[in-house]
Amino acid sequence: MQHWLMKSEPAGYGIDDLVAAPNQVTGWWGVRNYQARNFMRDSMRLGDRAFFYHSSCDEPGIAGIVEVCRLAYPDETQFDPASAYFDPRSTPANPRWLQVDVKLLRKTRLVPLRELRSHGELAAMRVLQRGNRLSITPVEPAEWRFIVRLMQS
DNA sequence: GCCAACGTTGGC
DNA sequence: GCCAACGTTGGC
């Protein structure tokens, strides 16, 4: 079982939207980066856990823990000409973009990016690397455990 | 709003 | 296949 970090902009969809969602489940649609898509398609398994990360906001950081509850399947927004995520090169027979579904396990205290950076134990974390833009990144087991402990402090 | 870093596009 | 130009991300 693997661990992940998944970014979302809370102005669009934040942890409180997931708290309020039916069954506290949401589709993780809108990923338009091949590397992030490949993580979902090739590596994510049912039961994998992920940090729900708030990006591009006043206080970027980790806001909760979710669990993958549906394996990768086509993201419908790629077929919708009215959607900002429309991709004219994509067809239902040959979809280019995928999503998974995730279920909320718990909303946690906000662990700010600032705080993550302050811990040498997390120095190698993918999301903290200079220039990182990937919206889905793997999290090492030791990093996962360290951050879960931080959430309780 | 700025800008560094990175991914994608497209001409050649 | 190269690589310059361009668009996007995302912290600050």
Side-chain angles (χ1 to χ4, degrees):
Chain A
M1 178 140 92
Q2 217 171 331
H3 296 103
W4 307 92
L5 181 143
M6 302 171 79
K7 296 182 188 175
S8 185
E9 301 189 12
Y13 196 95
I15 193 75
D16 290 329
D17 295 301
L18 184 53
V19 168
N23 301 318
Q24 301 190 323
V25 170
T26 184
W28 206 264
W29 49 271
V31 172
R32 293 295 182 269
N33 169 282
Y34 291 106
Q35 213 178 336
R37 179 204 66 183
N38 293 348
F39 280 140
M40 290 195 287
R41 185 190 61 193
D42 304 332
S43 304
M44 277 194 184
R45 295 294 170 257
L46 292 177
D48 276 6
R49 294 185 175 188
F51 292 130
F52 189 116
Y53 180 89
H54 283 174
S55 69
S56 292
C57 56
D58 285 346
E59 192 146 38
I62 296 170
I65 298 177
V66 299
E67 182 174 284
V68 176
C69 64
R70 183 175 172 188
L71 293 174
Y73 64 102
D75 173 346
E76 287 298 320
T77 62
Q78 71 195 302
F79 309 127
D80 177 6
S83 169
Y85 295 90
F86 178 61
D87 186 341
R89 302 162 299 184
S90 211
T91 65
N94 194 11
R96 180 175 301 223
W97 303 112
L98 304 173
Q99 65 180 69
V100 294
D101 286 355
V102 300
K103 180 174 175 54
L104 181 69
L105 288 185
R106 57 193 171 100
K107 178 180 174 178
T108 64
R109 79 171 176 92
L110 197 281
V111 182
L113 177 60
R114 253 191 345 270
E115 181 177 346
L116 297 174
R117 287 197 193 285
S118 73
H119 293 286
E121 292 90 337
L122 301 176
M125 214 179 154
R126 192 89 171 254
V127 78
L128 301 185
Q129 300 313 301
R130 181 184 184 77
N132 162 79
R133 301 191 317 180
L134 259 190
S135 64
I136 298 177
T137 52
V139 174
E140 295 305 314
E143 295 166 348
W144 180 272
R145 287 192 301 271
F146 187 86
I147 292 169
V148 168
R149 223 172 303 135
L150 276 185
M151 288 165 162
Q152 291 153 359
S153 64

